[in-house]
Amino acid sequence: MQRSTLKAWFLVHKWTSLVCTVFLLLLCLTGLPLVFGEEIAHLAEPHVDAPATDAAPRDLDAQVRTALAQYPGPAWSAPCSCCCCA
């Protein structure tokens, strides 16, 4: 190929890729809020309910006993699939 032909193709490639990059950037910037809309809304307006003023404090030991009664067995009963535990 001639040097002038290579320069011409280089310029064509450069400018078409820049135009495509602008369109891809617009797609990313407009698509991200659509994909992560729920998370963005949660961060913008976090809503936490305060406990009732007459509510009794919970007993943590009782909660642990209830959880262990509902889900008996060792905490690591499922086999790990990673390479370090095999």
Side-chain angles (χ1 to χ4, degrees):
M1 278 199 195
Q2 298 274 340
R3 184 169 175 84
S4 61
T5 308
L6 284 175
K7 276 187 164 185
W9 279 112
F10 174 76
L11 288 174
V12 168
H13 183 267
K14 179 171 74 170
W15 287 106
T16 54
S17 64
L18 286 174
V19 169
C20 290
T21 301
V22 169
F23 287 120
L24 285 174
L25 181 64
L26 286 173
L27 282 173
C28 290
L29 290 178
T30 58
L32 282 174
L34 292 174
V35 172
F36 296 107
E38 189 174 321
E39 288 83 0
I40 292 170
H42 176 71
L43 289 174
E45 297 178 14
H47 180 70
V48 178
D49 291 330
T53 56
D54 58 344
R58 293 185 172 191
D59 182 19
L60 183 60
D61 292 327
Q63 285 183 320
V64 170
R65 282 192 300 274
T66 303
L68 289 175
Q70 287 180 353
Y71 304 103
W76 301 102
S77 61
C80 179
S81 62
C82 69
C83 61
C84 62
C85 297

XYZ file of all heavy atoms in Angstrom:
650
model
N 0.829 -1.184 0.000
C 0.000 0.000 0.000
C 0.872 1.245 0.000
O 1.941 1.262 0.593
C -0.907 0.041 1.225
C -2.143 -0.751 1.135
S -3.250 -0.113 2.390
C -4.428 -1.399 2.437
N 0.323 2.254 -0.589
C 1.003 3.543 -0.624
C 0.913 4.210 0.745
O -0.018 3.976 1.513
C 0.347 4.440 -1.669
C 0.412 3.911 -3.071
C 1.708 4.297 -3.756
O 2.366 5.236 -3.323
N 2.087 3.581 -4.786
N 1.857 5.048 1.031
C 1.846 5.787 2.299
C 0.618 6.700 2.384
O 0.007 6.829 3.447
C 3.141 6.584 2.422
C 3.279 7.306 3.734
C 4.691 7.854 3.882
N 4.845 8.646 5.053
C 5.106 8.167 6.274
N 5.215 6.866 6.436
N 5.245 8.963 7.302
N 0.240 7.316 1.297
C -0.921 8.206 1.305
C -2.210 7.424 1.544
O -3.134 7.908 2.208
C -1.000 8.988 -0.008
O -1.133 8.092 -1.098
N -2.285 6.193 1.035
C -3.456 5.351 1.266
C -3.559 4.972 2.747
O -4.647 5.006 3.331
C -3.383 4.077 0.402
O -3.158 4.447 -0.951
C -4.639 3.260 0.519
N -2.445 4.625 3.339
C -2.434 4.285 4.770
C -2.850 5.482 5.619
O -3.597 5.338 6.588
C -1.057 3.803 5.191
C -0.679 2.384 4.763
C 0.759 2.083 5.157
C -1.611 1.382 5.372
N -2.371 6.669 5.260
C -2.756 7.871 6.008
C -4.258 8.124 5.891
O -4.914 8.489 6.862
C -1.987 9.083 5.491
C -0.628 9.251 6.083
C -0.037 10.572 5.623
C 1.135 10.938 6.481
N 1.668 12.253 6.142
N -4.779 7.937 4.679
C -6.210 8.154 4.476
C -7.031 7.167 5.299
O -8.007 7.548 5.953
C -6.547 8.029 2.985
N -6.654 5.885 5.287
C -7.390 4.897 6.075
C -7.246 5.150 7.562
O -8.173 4.922 8.338
C -6.938 3.475 5.733
C -7.591 2.960 4.496
C -6.993 2.695 3.312
C -8.979 2.685 4.329
N -7.922 2.270 2.408
C -9.163 2.244 3.008
C -10.095 2.778 5.152
C -10.387 1.901 2.504
C -11.321 2.426 4.643
C -11.463 1.991 3.339
N -6.086 5.637 7.985
C -5.898 5.985 9.384
C -6.856 7.105 9.795
O -7.484 7.032 10.857
C -4.445 6.399 9.639
C -4.197 6.899 11.023
C -4.108 6.019 12.089
C -4.070 8.260 11.275
C -3.890 6.476 13.374
C -3.856 8.729 12.554
C -3.767 7.838 13.603
N -6.980 8.127 8.958
C -7.887 9.223 9.266
C -9.341 8.767 9.262
O -10.121 9.159 10.138
C -7.687 10.363 8.273
C -6.390 11.155 8.435
C -6.226 12.160 7.302
C -6.373 11.850 9.780
N -9.711 7.925 8.319
C -11.079 7.401 8.279
C -11.365 6.599 9.537
O -12.414 6.752 10.178
C -11.290 6.549 7.003
C -12.590 5.762 7.092
C -11.260 7.416 5.773
N -10.429 5.749 9.904
C -10.601 4.914 11.094
C -10.692 5.768 12.353
O -11.529 5.528 13.233
C -9.437 3.930 11.192
C -9.551 2.984 12.326
N -8.985 3.221 13.564
C -10.187 1.790 12.435
C -9.256 2.229 14.372
N -9.989 1.333 13.718
N -9.841 6.767 12.457
C -9.827 7.617 13.649
C -11.144 8.368 13.808
O -11.748 8.349 14.883
C -8.660 8.605 13.578
C -8.602 9.549 14.771
C -7.346 10.379 14.804
C -7.373 11.452 13.766
N -6.262 12.424 13.941
N -11.626 8.997 12.748
C -12.822 9.813 12.878
C -14.085 8.977 13.013
O -14.999 9.345 13.740
C -12.923 10.806 11.725
C -11.908 11.894 11.916
C -10.756 12.064 11.236
C -11.949 12.919 12.909
N -10.058 13.140 11.729
C -10.773 13.694 12.760
C -12.843 13.272 13.907
C -10.484 14.785 13.568
C -12.558 14.363 14.704
C -11.393 15.102 14.534
N -14.160 7.841 12.357
C -15.344 6.989 12.540
C -15.379 6.405 13.945
O -16.451 6.285 14.545
C -15.387 5.856 11.503
O -14.160 5.130 11.545
C -15.625 6.401 10.115
N -14.222 6.071 14.500
C -14.215 5.544 15.870
C -14.572 6.631 16.876
O -15.235 6.354 17.881
C -12.864 4.927 16.200
O -11.853 5.904 16.170
N -14.171 7.859 16.636
C -14.555 8.941 17.541
C -16.056 9.185 17.504
O -16.682 9.410 18.548
C -13.795 10.221 17.188
C -12.317 10.249 17.581
C -11.644 11.503 17.042
C -12.157 10.168 19.083
N -16.651 9.133 16.326
C -18.104 9.305 16.216
C -18.821 8.161 16.929
O -19.783 8.387 17.673
C -18.518 9.406 14.730
C -20.016 9.323 14.575
C -17.978 10.689 14.124
N -18.355 6.941 16.720
C -18.971 5.789 17.391
C -18.807 5.884 18.903
O -19.707 5.497 19.654
C -18.361 4.494 16.874
S -18.818 4.125 15.177
N -17.681 6.390 19.351
C -17.441 6.529 20.790
C -18.438 7.488 21.411
O -18.937 7.249 22.520
C -16.000 7.016 21.034
O -15.099 6.069 20.470
C -15.721 7.185 22.502
N -18.765 8.551 20.712
C -19.748 9.512 21.236
C -21.101 8.826 21.411
O -21.768 8.977 22.438
C -19.851 10.729 20.300
C -21.036 11.601 20.664
C -18.568 11.530 20.349
N -21.523 8.040 20.416
C -22.802 7.347 20.525
C -22.787 6.302 21.644
O -23.765 6.169 22.389
C -23.188 6.695 19.202
C -23.625 7.677 18.170
C -22.952 7.789 16.978
C -24.710 8.507 18.397
C -23.348 8.698 16.020
C -25.119 9.432 17.454
C -24.438 9.526 16.260
N -21.695 5.564 21.783
C -21.605 4.585 22.863
C -21.609 5.266 24.226
O -22.203 4.763 25.182
C -20.352 3.727 22.700
C -20.423 2.677 21.612
C -19.071 1.994 21.445
C -21.490 1.649 21.936
N -20.960 6.400 24.338
C -20.962 7.143 25.598
C -22.373 7.603 25.943
O -22.805 7.509 27.105
C -20.018 8.332 25.508
C -19.887 9.190 26.754
C -19.283 8.380 27.887
C -19.047 10.411 26.470
N -23.111 8.071 24.956
C -24.490 8.476 25.195
C -25.347 7.286 25.627
O -26.197 7.410 26.516
C -25.074 9.127 23.947
C -24.579 10.533 23.639
C -25.097 10.997 22.292
C -24.993 11.487 24.726
N -25.135 6.139 24.998
C -25.882 4.941 25.399
C -25.578 4.561 26.841
O -26.483 4.208 27.607
C -25.549 3.778 24.473
C -26.212 3.779 23.119
C -25.652 2.653 22.257
C -27.704 3.609 23.267
N -24.320 4.624 27.216
C -23.947 4.266 28.587
C -24.519 5.250 29.595
O -25.041 4.849 30.640
C -22.435 4.212 28.724
S -21.684 2.831 27.865
N -24.421 6.527 29.293
C -24.895 7.536 30.240
C -26.408 7.518 30.401
O -26.924 7.821 31.473
C -24.421 8.922 29.810
C -22.927 9.182 29.938
C -22.586 10.570 29.433
C -22.464 8.995 31.364
N -27.137 7.173 29.336
C -28.585 7.124 29.457
C -29.074 5.760 29.923
O -30.156 5.657 30.495
C -29.261 7.470 28.123
O -28.805 6.554 27.120
C -28.949 8.887 27.712
N -28.290 4.730 29.711
C -28.708 3.391 30.106
C -28.438 3.067 31.559
O -29.185 2.309 32.183
N -27.392 3.620 32.125
C -27.066 3.320 33.521
C -28.176 3.717 34.493
O -28.505 2.940 35.389
C -25.739 3.973 33.909
C -24.495 3.242 33.423
C -23.251 4.048 33.732
C -24.403 1.871 34.028
N -28.779 4.895 34.352
C -29.895 5.204 35.258
C -31.084 4.269 35.081
O -31.811 4.004 36.031
C -30.280 6.637 34.900
C -29.064 7.209 34.283
C -28.380 6.078 33.585
N -31.285 3.751 33.873
C -32.372 2.801 33.673
C -32.084 1.478 34.363
O -32.969 0.865 34.956
C -32.603 2.562 32.173
C -33.147 3.755 31.393
C -33.182 3.428 29.914
C -34.524 4.109 31.890
N -30.854 1.030 34.309
C -30.496 -0.250 34.915
C -30.448 -0.137 36.432
O -30.954 -1.001 37.148
C -29.139 -0.742 34.364
C -28.652 -1.962 35.101
C -29.249 -1.032 32.875
N -29.847 0.929 36.932
C -29.654 1.086 38.372
C -30.608 2.108 38.971
O -30.304 2.744 39.984
C -28.213 1.495 38.675
C -27.210 0.451 38.284
C -26.399 0.637 37.184
C -27.106 -0.712 39.006
C -25.479 -0.326 36.820
C -26.193 -1.687 38.650
C -25.375 -1.492 37.544
N -31.788 2.277 38.393
C -32.746 3.268 38.866
C -33.195 3.037 40.296
O -33.323 3.976 41.093
N -33.436 1.783 40.648
C -33.899 1.479 42.001
C -32.818 1.791 43.039
O -33.103 2.346 44.097
C -34.300 0.008 42.082
C -34.985 -0.366 43.362
C -35.489 -1.797 43.320
O -35.974 -2.228 42.263
O -35.374 -2.460 44.355
N -31.576 1.440 42.722
C -30.482 1.719 43.651
C -30.241 3.215 43.797
O -29.963 3.719 44.884
C -29.203 1.022 43.176
C -29.218 -0.481 43.348
C -29.927 -1.196 42.217
O -30.405 -0.524 41.282
O -30.022 -2.428 42.285
N -30.344 3.945 42.694
C -30.154 5.391 42.746
C -31.258 6.042 43.579
O -31.001 6.939 44.392
C -30.107 5.976 41.323
C -28.835 5.504 40.612
C -30.150 7.496 41.350
C -28.793 5.828 39.142
N -32.483 5.579 43.404
C -33.589 6.128 44.192
C -33.403 5.826 45.673
O -33.703 6.664 46.533
C -34.907 5.552 43.693
N -32.891 4.637 45.976
C -32.658 4.283 47.382
C -31.584 5.181 47.999
O -31.697 5.591 49.159
C -32.248 2.819 47.496
C -31.908 2.397 48.884
N -32.863 2.262 49.878
C -30.730 2.101 49.473
C -32.271 1.893 51.002
N -30.970 1.790 50.775
N -30.535 5.473 47.234
C -29.482 6.343 47.752
C -29.950 7.786 47.872
O -29.514 8.513 48.763
C -28.252 6.271 46.845
C -27.465 4.973 46.898
C -26.368 4.997 45.847
C -26.875 4.751 48.270
N -30.831 8.200 46.988
C -31.287 9.588 47.007
C -32.223 9.859 48.180
O -32.190 10.929 48.772
C -31.979 9.925 45.688
N -33.081 8.891 48.505
C -34.050 9.077 49.580
C -34.089 7.843 50.483
O -35.012 7.047 50.410
C -35.438 9.309 48.996
C -35.552 10.552 48.157
C -36.932 10.695 47.559
O -37.859 9.993 47.998
O -37.080 11.502 46.650
N -33.071 7.671 51.313
C -33.115 6.510 52.207
C -34.249 6.653 53.214
O -34.435 7.713 53.808
C -31.746 6.523 52.887
C -31.277 7.928 52.768
C -31.907 8.488 51.516
N -35.019 5.610 53.368
C -36.172 5.651 54.260
C -35.996 4.590 55.342
O -35.976 3.399 55.052
C -37.454 5.387 53.469
C -38.682 5.413 54.315
N -39.168 6.580 54.861
C -39.506 4.419 54.714
C -40.259 6.290 55.563
N -40.474 4.997 55.483
N -35.834 5.026 56.557
C -35.672 4.113 57.686
C -36.762 4.435 58.693
O -36.905 5.577 59.130
C -34.279 4.270 58.334
C -34.140 3.347 59.527
C -33.196 4.008 57.312
N -37.549 3.424 59.037
C -38.596 3.621 60.027
C -37.997 3.586 61.427
O -37.210 2.697 61.763
C -39.660 2.524 59.908
C -40.466 2.661 58.630
O -40.633 3.798 58.159
O -40.930 1.630 58.119
N -38.367 4.538 62.221
C -37.928 4.562 63.609
C -38.803 3.604 64.410
O -39.990 3.446 64.130
C -38.045 5.972 64.176
N -38.214 2.922 65.393
C -39.041 2.037 66.210
C -40.060 2.840 67.014
O -39.866 4.021 67.298
C -38.044 1.337 67.127
C -36.839 2.208 67.128
C -36.830 2.927 65.804
N -41.129 2.174 67.359
C -42.167 2.837 68.154
C -41.585 3.238 69.504
O -40.706 2.571 70.058
C -43.348 1.901 68.340
N -42.091 4.321 70.045
C -41.549 4.820 71.306
C -41.846 3.885 72.476
O -41.093 3.826 73.438
C -42.123 6.211 71.620
O -43.549 6.138 71.627
C -41.667 7.217 70.583
N -42.943 3.124 72.389
C -43.289 2.216 73.481
C -42.812 0.789 73.214
O -43.174 -0.132 73.945
C -44.798 2.229 73.721
C -45.571 1.825 72.473
O -44.987 1.831 71.371
O -46.759 1.509 72.613
N -41.980 0.565 72.214
C -41.498 -0.780 71.885
C -40.442 -1.218 72.889
O -39.568 -0.449 73.283
C -40.918 -0.804 70.486
N -40.544 -2.471 73.293
C -39.558 -3.035 74.226
C -38.305 -3.426 73.439
O -38.394 -3.863 72.299
C -40.142 -4.256 74.916
N -37.125 -3.265 74.034
C -35.902 -3.680 73.336
C -35.890 -5.196 73.137
O -36.384 -5.955 73.970
C -34.775 -3.220 74.256
C -35.405 -2.870 75.545
C -36.859 -2.658 75.322
N -35.341 -5.635 72.023
C -35.308 -7.068 71.719
C -34.154 -7.742 72.448
O -33.096 -7.161 72.652
C -35.160 -7.280 70.225
C -36.363 -6.842 69.454
C -36.187 -7.191 68.016
N -37.424 -6.948 67.299
C -37.642 -7.358 66.076
N -36.710 -8.028 65.435
N -38.784 -7.118 65.488
N -34.390 -9.002 72.786
C -33.363 -9.810 73.433
C -32.575 -10.526 72.341
O -33.100 -11.381 71.625
C -34.019 -10.817 74.382
C -32.995 -11.642 75.122
O -31.822 -11.237 75.193
O -33.385 -12.716 75.635
N -31.300 -10.184 72.179
C -30.468 -10.759 71.129
C -30.265 -12.259 71.334
O -30.276 -13.036 70.381
C -29.123 -10.035 71.072
C -28.173 -10.484 69.966
C -28.805 -10.270 68.600
C -26.864 -9.735 70.060
N -30.092 -12.701 72.571
C -29.913 -14.129 72.846
C -31.148 -14.921 72.426
O -31.032 -16.030 71.875
C -29.612 -14.361 74.322
C -28.252 -13.816 74.723
O -27.341 -13.846 73.863
O -28.118 -13.371 75.864
N -32.324 -14.385 72.665
C -33.556 -15.070 72.264
C -33.649 -15.147 70.745
O -34.096 -16.161 70.195
C -34.763 -14.346 72.837
N -33.227 -14.127 70.057
C -33.250 -14.156 68.603
C -32.292 -15.209 68.057
O -32.608 -15.914 67.108
C -32.897 -12.781 68.038
C -34.010 -11.772 68.159
C -33.646 -10.458 67.515
O -32.509 -10.002 67.629
N -34.610 -9.841 66.858
N -31.111 -15.318 68.654
C -30.147 -16.332 68.216
C -30.701 -17.730 68.474
O -30.595 -18.622 67.627
C -28.783 -16.124 68.912
C -27.847 -17.287 68.665
C -28.157 -14.821 68.455
N -31.306 -17.949 69.643
C -31.892 -19.256 69.940
C -32.995 -19.606 68.949
O -33.102 -20.742 68.487
C -32.430 -19.275 71.374
C -31.370 -19.446 72.446
C -31.993 -19.748 73.806
N -32.882 -18.679 74.272
C -32.483 -17.602 74.947
N -31.207 -17.449 75.236
N -33.351 -16.693 75.335
N -33.820 -18.636 68.596
C -34.893 -18.871 67.630
C -34.317 -19.222 66.261
O -34.784 -20.146 65.591
C -35.788 -17.623 67.511
O -36.285 -17.303 68.805
C -36.932 -17.854 66.557
N -33.284 -18.505 65.836
C -32.667 -18.789 64.544
C -32.033 -20.166 64.527
O -32.165 -20.912 63.550
C -31.630 -17.719 64.213
N -31.350 -20.544 65.611
C -30.727 -21.869 65.668
C -31.771 -22.971 65.730
O -31.548 -24.068 65.212
C -29.781 -21.950 66.870
C -28.500 -21.125 66.754
C -27.707 -21.198 68.052
C -27.672 -21.592 65.580
N -32.917 -22.706 66.336
C -33.981 -23.705 66.377
C -34.603 -23.885 64.996
O -34.960 -24.999 64.602
C -35.040 -23.300 67.391
N -34.723 -22.807 64.242
C -35.314 -22.895 62.905
C -34.340 -23.482 61.898
O -34.743 -24.161 60.956
C -35.767 -21.522 62.430
C -37.003 -21.021 63.129
C -37.416 -19.645 62.620
O -36.706 -19.021 61.850
N -38.572 -19.188 63.072
N -33.057 -23.235 62.052
C -32.034 -23.699 61.109
C -30.946 -24.462 61.863
O -29.850 -23.950 62.087
C -31.426 -22.510 60.365
C -32.442 -21.665 59.655
C -32.844 -20.446 60.182
C -33.018 -22.101 58.469
C -33.788 -19.672 59.546
C -33.967 -21.328 57.822
C -34.350 -20.117 58.355
O -35.286 -19.365 57.716
N -31.223 -25.704 62.260
C -30.216 -26.461 63.008
C -29.081 -26.913 62.086
O -29.203 -26.916 60.878
C -31.005 -27.653 63.535
C -32.096 -27.837 62.550
C -32.448 -26.461 62.056
N -28.007 -27.316 62.678
C -26.873 -27.822 61.913
C -25.701 -26.865 61.986
O -25.810 -25.746 62.478
N -24.562 -27.319 61.459
C -23.373 -26.460 61.492
C -23.531 -25.269 60.559
O -24.254 -25.309 59.574
C -22.248 -27.381 61.022
C -22.927 -28.453 60.251
C -24.289 -28.620 60.864
N -22.835 -24.218 60.895
C -22.944 -22.996 60.109
C -22.349 -23.161 58.720
O -22.769 -22.521 57.776
C -22.244 -21.851 60.833
N -21.355 -24.045 58.561
C -20.683 -24.243 57.275
C -21.031 -25.609 56.701
O -20.176 -26.371 56.317
C -19.180 -24.121 57.434
C -18.778 -22.794 57.983
C -18.417 -22.523 59.262
C -18.737 -21.554 57.274
N -18.144 -21.190 59.399
C -18.330 -20.568 58.191
C -18.984 -21.178 55.978
C -18.179 -19.242 57.835
C -18.836 -19.854 55.616
C -18.441 -18.908 56.548
N -22.317 -25.928 56.597
C -22.704 -27.249 56.136
C -22.598 -27.403 54.632
O -22.410 -28.496 54.125
C -24.142 -27.564 56.585
O -25.019 -26.617 56.020
N -22.711 -26.312 53.871
C -22.626 -26.411 52.412
C -21.158 -26.450 51.983
O -20.345 -25.682 52.485
C -23.328 -25.227 51.768
N -20.809 -27.359 51.072
C -19.399 -27.422 50.624
C -19.053 -26.193 49.789
O -19.888 -25.669 49.056
C -19.333 -28.681 49.800
C -20.727 -28.949 49.362
C -21.607 -28.398 50.458
N -17.843 -25.764 49.930
C -17.355 -24.605 49.192
C -16.917 -25.065 47.798
O -16.344 -26.137 47.640
C -16.188 -23.989 49.942
S -15.480 -22.572 49.107
N -17.161 -24.246 46.792
C -16.793 -24.614 45.435
C -15.519 -23.919 44.965
O -15.141 -24.040 43.814
C -17.929 -24.274 44.473
O -18.152 -22.892 44.483
N -14.869 -23.177 45.850
C -13.663 -22.479 45.410
C -12.472 -23.444 45.403
O -12.519 -24.537 45.951
C -13.373 -21.283 46.309
S -12.870 -21.720 47.976
N -11.410 -23.034 44.760
C -10.266 -23.928 44.575
C -9.467 -24.135 45.856
O -8.786 -25.144 45.998
C -9.352 -23.364 43.479
S -8.690 -21.754 43.904
N -9.539 -23.228 46.809
C -8.698 -23.345 47.994
C -9.261 -24.339 49.017
O -8.529 -24.807 49.885
C -8.513 -21.978 48.650
S -10.048 -21.246 49.242
N -10.545 -24.681 48.943
C -11.131 -25.578 49.931
C -11.282 -27.014 49.416
O -11.660 -27.890 50.163
C -12.511 -25.072 50.334
S -12.456 -23.450 51.129
N -11.028 -27.219 48.143
C -11.242 -28.545 47.556
C -10.147 -29.510 47.936
O -9.112 -29.237 48.341
C -11.354 -28.435 46.033
